[in-house]
Amino acid sequence: MASEIQIEQAGSVLTITLNRADKKNALTNAMYGTLADAIEQAAHDDAVRVVVLQGEGDSFTAGNDVGEFAAIASGMHSGERHVHRFLHALAKSALPIVAAVHGKAVGIGTTMLLHCDYVLLAEDAELITPFVNLALVPEAASSYLLPLRIGHARAFEMFALGGPLDAQTAMAWGIANKVCSNQTLRADARRVAEQLAEKPAGSLRAMKTLMREAEALISQMDAESAVFQERLGSAEAKEAFTAFAQKRKPDFSKIAQR
């Protein structure tokens, strides 16, 4: 819903705020649609020079709404999944994107940061990638980008074990640019965004385009999506989501590998 995504432009900086704090900013299909629209429209708006992503409440985002995922896994959800439009928009965007992250950034809350150009983490930030724990696979081209950024060993640990990565470690590993206090997070992000907005916009866009192979990233996203969709319908995913709903530890020991 539009109210769950706040969009505000001040000067040449467009700020997009995840505003579903009562659900830890868990992302629904409708929210992805609004995010995709905002990123796509900003890319064609000469008045926008920088985009800032942030979240309300005590978390950046809890990732995908698990209730919707359970519905998809059971075949009860149909129609376009706007997450694909959002991810493609991130991959294609030549605009500088600044992320201000506090609290938990789960799943896509972490992987979207690999498409942001300047990432600020509050001291309490935790990056969590629980895809395998949910019997799924990484998305957002993160199966390519994360090992490229931090190395195979660290990326495998993040994906396979799904434990939280604290802010200082994330910065040391190269996922973030800066760690700041929760109190100054938004002000610091705004300051960086305004500094970027003062640069020659054409040069900045050209530089970012040269630094990223958008079509290669989209190809990886599409490959991940196909496997992700397959995994959603698996017996392992059914057990994972059932266990989540029943607040118990999942048992994958009796499920045949495939």
Side-chain angles (χ1 to χ4, degrees):
M1 294 175 60
S3 62
E4 294 175 339
I5 302 291
Q6 292 184 341
I7 301 171
E8 178 185 4
Q9 185 170 346
S12 53
V13 177
L14 184 76
T15 301
I16 303 174
T17 305
L18 308 180
N19 188 39
R20 197 186 180 206
D22 59 321
K23 297 294 184 181
K24 307 289 185 183
N25 294 326
L27 294 163
T28 64
N29 191 51
M31 291 170 72
Y32 278 126
T34 304
L35 288 168
D37 290 343
I39 299 293
E40 290 169 354
Q41 290 167 13
H44 298 96
D45 187 347
D46 290 340
V48 177
R49 289 179 171 237
V50 183
V51 173
V52 175
L53 295 173
Q54 61 188 24
E56 286 290 356
D58 61 8
S59 297
F60 180 60
T61 174
N64 290 302
D65 184 280
V66 175
E68 276 199 354
F69 257 44
I72 293 170
S74 64
M76 295 172 61
H77 185 278
S78 60
E80 181 181 7
R81 291 188 63 213
H82 294 298
V83 62
H84 303 309
R85 281 205 306 121
F86 171 58
L87 293 178
H88 284 200
L90 282 180
K92 293 177 181 177
S93 179
L95 280 174
I97 301 176
V98 176
V101 181
H102 72 288
K104 289 180 169 54
V106 181
I108 197 168
T110 290
T111 58
M112 75 167 71
L113 302 182
L114 301 172
H115 298 276
C116 297
D117 304 291
Y118 199 101
V119 177
L120 298 98
L121 301 179
E123 293 170 329
D124 70 343
E126 291 185 333
L127 310 187
I128 306 168
T129 49
F131 301 103
V132 170
N133 290 347
L134 292 171
L136 302 172
V137 294
E139 31 71 310
S142 61
S143 59
Y144 167 72
L145 288 173
L146 193 61
L148 188 66
R149 181 78 64 89
I150 68 175
H152 176 89
R154 288 169 171 170
F156 183 90
E157 179 181 353
M158 285 186 69
F159 286 143
L161 299 182
L165 188 70
D166 66 84
Q168 291 292 345
T169 303
M171 185 179 69
W173 286 5
I175 299 176
N177 298 80
K178 179 181 178 181
V179 176
C180 50
S181 72
N182 285 63
Q183 291 72 29
T184 66
L185 176 66
R186 289 194 176 185
D188 288 349
R190 179 75 193 186
R191 189 175 304 111
V192 170
E194 289 176 346
Q195 288 175 347
L196 291 170
E198 292 173 353
K199 304 297 181 182
S203 177
L204 207 55
R205 288 182 180 225
M207 179 200 73
K208 178 172 175 176
T209 300
L210 288 169
M211 290 177 69
R212 296 169 60 80
E213 297 181 48
E215 293 307 316
L217 294 179
I218 289 172
S219 177
Q220 184 71 9
M221 287 175 179
D222 292 345
E224 290 171 342
S225 178
V227 179
F228 195 101
Q229 193 66 31
E230 177 186 333
R231 296 308 308 160
L232 264 180
S234 69
E236 289 179 336
K238 181 178 180 181
E239 166 61 13
F241 287 113
T242 299
F244 182 88
Q246 296 176 350
K247 294 182 171 54
R248 63 172 174 80
K249 183 178 179 180
D251 180 7
F252 302 114
S253 63
K254 297 180 177 61
I255 300 175
Q257 298 181 45
R258 64 179 179 86

